[in-house]
Structures are given as structure tokens and as C-alpha cells.
Amino acid sequence: MMRTSHFRTLLAGAALATLASPAFALDGADLMAKLNATYATSGVTIGYSNAAVDGSTVTLEGTELKATGAEAPIKLGTITMEGVEEDGEGGYTIETVAFQDIDVTEADATVTAKDLALNGVSIPGTVVSGTLESLLMYESATAGPVSVSTKGKEVFSMSGMEATITRMDADAGLEFDATLNDLKADLTTVEDPKAKDTLAKLGIQSLEGKVNMSGSWELASGKLAVDEYAFDFKDIGRLNLSLEFSGYTLDFLKNLQEAIKTAEANPNKEEANAAMGMAMMGLVQQLTFNSASLSFEDASITKKLLDYAGSEQGVTGDQMAQSLKGLVPIMIAQLNMPDLQNQISAAVNTYLDDPKSLTISAEPKEPVPFPMIMGAAMGAPQTIPQVLGVTITANDEM
């Protein structure tokens, strides 16, 4: 009797499981609806022809991405989402979103890209305006080899890319970074005769390097800080941009997208452009400039450029450097900015004597609203260096 009772219990459990399983199956349509509701914050819509669900895997076919302001959607083909689960709050988590490899040929150019993926994706069940729950979040984005070929010859390649996004404590904002590795460009395919001759005289047949970027974004203040955006190329140098401004909030983004949509809906393009310009003027007034810096660290390109410029004038590279020292003060005297003029002259002289680095920084004592900068530019442009706290230095001199 015990065995019979136990057997009946198992049968009942199996029957209940069978009847209940459809209720726990993933709803592909609901997943995509919530994905698009989240993407709407970024002005993006995902379209697809079919969504097939197999366990925890969702496969989208005929996928297209349409961004606000774009003339035509971007065709993404088949997208495979693996490890899809409901998060218990109406949203979803996805272990990996894998994109179809790219292999496109147009005219004589072919572009290929492999292993494109997003990892650790979170889709909120309810979009909560002004919070991270209104954004599509992911932990990392990766790409494998990327190649561009022209007439059968590879002219550009990249071994891979990785970007990560981390939530700040209490979801106050985001920290991000990205790296593009092993960038290579073949310059022997340049067709313009003058450019080709210049590159040959400079001894530059190719470019090899990488790109790094890192920064953060605070939701409440809309402070966007790009701490590093560096292009580092062998035998050329390292160019780095850092920038920080405030007011880049989710409301700012929403108003920007609405302005773009309004312009798109207006059949009168001239009128639409004028309205868009007015809208942008209003939006820019919400932004505040905090700081910026542009620096270049030389890796032998300066001497090559001086030698080349000198050869064009029938002088040596050193003689060309001395000529520039005399010309720069004359050229910048028209700016009518005595303090800045002296800084530029001193920095150029120091750099030309021993090319190491040049840095242009703007660090005002207090953040400056963009309208104040625009007013100074239109009414008294010579005051811009003082308004922004501009300094120019060479070889890390302060």
C-alpha cells in the first residue's frame, strides 16, 4: 500500500508539472516589449520578424535596430539570447546576447566582424524614469576580430574590443571603460599622390596601436566625466582627451530625443532644422562646463614632421624648428590674448627644443554654465581663456 501510494504521488506530481510548465515558459513577445520600453530611453527601437523560444534561449530573426535621427534601420540579422531568466520583478536577466557575424561587401570594400556579444544583460520589468531602471544595463560588451579590406587587400584590422559598465553604490550612476586592441591600418593603399608622397617621406607605411576610454556618469547631477579617451600609436604618439561637464541628465536625453522626433515628423526640412537649432540652444543652456584637457605625448613623429617640412623649404629640421619659434608669436598676436600668447610661445619653444609632450587644459575655478561661455565667445572672445581657466604647457611643466 505504501508503494502504491508513493507511485500515485509521483504520477500526480508529474501531471502537475506538465500542466504548469507552459506558465513558466519564457514569453518572447513580453521580453522584446520590455526590451524596447527600456531602449526607448536611448531613442532606439528593435524590430524582428520572429522570436523563437527554446528553454532559456531566445532567438530573434530578421532583427533591425532603428535609432532616432537615423535615415534607415541597421540590419542585425539573427540574435541569440542565452541564459534568459525572469528576475521575479517582471524583468529579465540574460547571460549572453550573441550577434550574427558581419560579412558585408559593397563595391570593392569588405567588412567582417566576429564574436560580437553583450554579457550580463538586465532588462527592468518597469521603466522608472530618472533611475537606472529606465536603461538597458549590461556588464560587458565584446567583439572579436574586425577587418576591412579593399580590392582584396586588408587595410584595417582590430584583434578585439571589450567594454565594461559598473553600477555605482546605491545606483547613483555608472562607471565605464573600453579598450580597442591591436589596431592596424595599412597606409600603402592611400591613393592621393600628395598624401602618398608625404607618408613615404615620413617613413610611415602603417599605423599600429590601441584606443582606451574610461569615465563615469552621475544620474542626479548629470555629470559626465571622460577621464581618458586616448589614441596611442607606435612611432607616432599618444593623444588623450579628458572632459567633464554637468547637466547631462536622463531628462536632458529625453528632451533631446523629443526634439529630434519632432524635427523628423516635420516635412518642411528647412523649418525642421530651424526648430531643431532653437531646441538645441535651449538644451545647451542646461549644461555646465567643469574641465577639459587635451594632451599629446610624442613618440618620434614631431622630428619626422620637422624634417619633412624643412626639406620642403630647403632647410634642416632643426632650422625649421627655429623658424617656427619666430613665427608662432607673430601668428598668435592677432588673438589679442597676452597671457595666453605668452603661454603658447613658451610651451612651443620648450616642446620644439625637446619634443616630449604638449598639454592644453581648461580648469575654471568654478563650473561655468554653457550660456556664459557662448556669451563670452560672441561678445568678448578674448576673455575665453580667463573664463575657462586655460593653460598651455610643454613637457609636463607647470
Side-chain angles (χ1 to χ4, degrees):
M1 292 294 293
M2 290 296 293
R3 290 181 178 177
T4 302
S5 175
H6 182 61
F7 181 67
R8 288 175 177 173
T9 301
L10 289 175
L11 285 176
L16 285 171
T18 301
L19 291 172
S21 60
F24 292 101
L26 288 172
D27 185 338
D30 180 65
L31 169 66
M32 292 308 298
K34 289 175 178 174
L35 174 64
N36 274 320
T38 306
Y39 255 141
T41 305
S42 304
V44 172
T45 302
I46 298 290
Y48 60 98
S49 60
N50 183 54
V53 179
D54 182 8
S56 62
T57 299
V58 177
T59 303
L60 303 178
E61 298 174 350
T63 315
E64 293 184 340
L65 182 148
K66 176 65 185 300
T68 300
E71 295 183 359
I74 299 173
K75 297 185 182 298
L76 301 177
T78 301
I79 295 178
T80 304
M81 304 179 182
E82 297 181 336
V84 183
E85 295 182 358
E86 296 185 35
D87 64 5
E89 299 179 359
Y92 296 87
T93 60
I94 309 172
E95 289 183 5
T96 303
V97 178
F99 297 83
Q100 180 176 311
D101 288 347
I102 297 173
D103 190 346
V104 178
T105 298
E106 185 172 333
D108 294 327
T110 298
V111 178
T112 64
K114 299 179 180 180
D115 304 329
L116 308 172
L118 297 177
N119 307 292
V121 179
S122 299
I123 302 174
T126 303
V127 173
V128 182
S129 179
T131 72
L132 293 183
E133 296 305 312
S134 66
L135 301 173
L136 175 73
M137 296 295 300
Y138 61 87
E139 295 176 359
S140 67
T142 57
V146 175
S147 174
V148 179
S149 299
T150 301
K151 298 179 180 179
K153 184 174 183 179
E154 186 175 67
V155 295
F156 172 82
S157 66
M158 176 179 72
S159 67
M161 179 279 292
E162 182 174 2
T164 63
I165 294 179
T166 305
R167 293 187 184 221
M168 293 181 180
D169 292 341
D171 282 350
L174 304 172
E175 295 177 340
F176 54 86
D177 64 75
T179 302
L180 281 65
N181 292 310
D182 301 321
L183 300 176
K184 295 181 180 180
D186 183 355
L187 302 182
T188 62
T189 58
V190 173
E191 296 182 354
D192 181 73
K194 180 64 176 176
K196 196 177 188 70
D197 179 64
T198 300
L199 290 170
K201 290 180 178 179
L202 288 172
I204 301 175
Q205 302 300 311
S206 64
L207 292 177
E208 296 182 21
K210 63 180 179 178
V211 176
N212 292 322
M213 182 179 72
S214 65
S216 60
W217 178 44
E218 296 177 3
L219 284 179
S221 64
K223 184 175 78 173
L224 178 64
V226 179
D227 301 321
E228 178 188 42
Y229 194 1
F231 299 80
D232 192 351
F233 289 93
K234 180 181 177 182
D235 297 329
I236 301 294
R238 183 178 186 272
L239 181 68
N240 181 46
L241 169 70
S242 62
L243 176 68
E244 182 181 302
F245 61 92
S246 302
Y248 194 72
T249 62
L250 287 171
D251 283 340
F252 177 91
L253 288 174
K254 180 181 178 182
N255 292 333
L256 176 60
Q257 289 160 18
E258 289 177 349
I260 294 174
K261 289 179 181 178
T262 300
E264 287 181 334
N266 191 338
N268 187 325
K269 294 306 176 184
E270 184 176 341
E271 185 179 285
N273 291 334
M276 185 65 187
M278 292 296 293
M280 289 302 298
M281 288 289 289
L283 287 170
V284 166
Q285 295 189 41
Q286 301 176 32
L287 302 177
T288 300
F289 176 85
N290 297 337
S291 65
S293 176
L294 181 65
S295 64
F296 176 72
E297 297 176 18
D298 182 69
S300 79
I301 189 61
T302 301
K303 186 179 185 308
K304 292 176 182 177
L305 288 171
L306 288 171
D307 288 342
Y308 170 72
S311 68
E312 293 289 291
Q313 300 296 322
V315 298
T316 66
D318 288 339
Q319 291 172 326
M320 190 67 198
Q322 295 304 316
S323 297
L324 287 174
K325 287 183 182 181
L327 285 173
V328 168
I330 298 173
M331 295 169 61
I332 62 178
Q334 302 176 23
L335 298 176
N336 192 27
M337 301 175 182
D339 292 341
L340 189 61
Q341 178 179 333
N342 293 335
Q343 287 188 43
I344 294 174
S345 294
V348 168
N349 288 347
T350 299
Y351 183 78
L352 290 176
D353 284 340
D354 183 17
K356 290 182 180 178
S357 66
L358 269 175
T359 302
I360 304 173
S361 300
E363 296 184 10
K365 294 180 180 179
E366 298 291 338
V368 183
F370 271 55
M372 183 180 295
I373 300 173
M374 295 166 64
M378 291 185 290
Q382 71 275 10
T383 66
I384 288 291
Q386 287 75 31
V387 171
L388 299 181
V390 176
T391 58
I392 301 175
T393 60
N395 300 349
D396 297 324
E397 292 184 353
M398 299 301 292

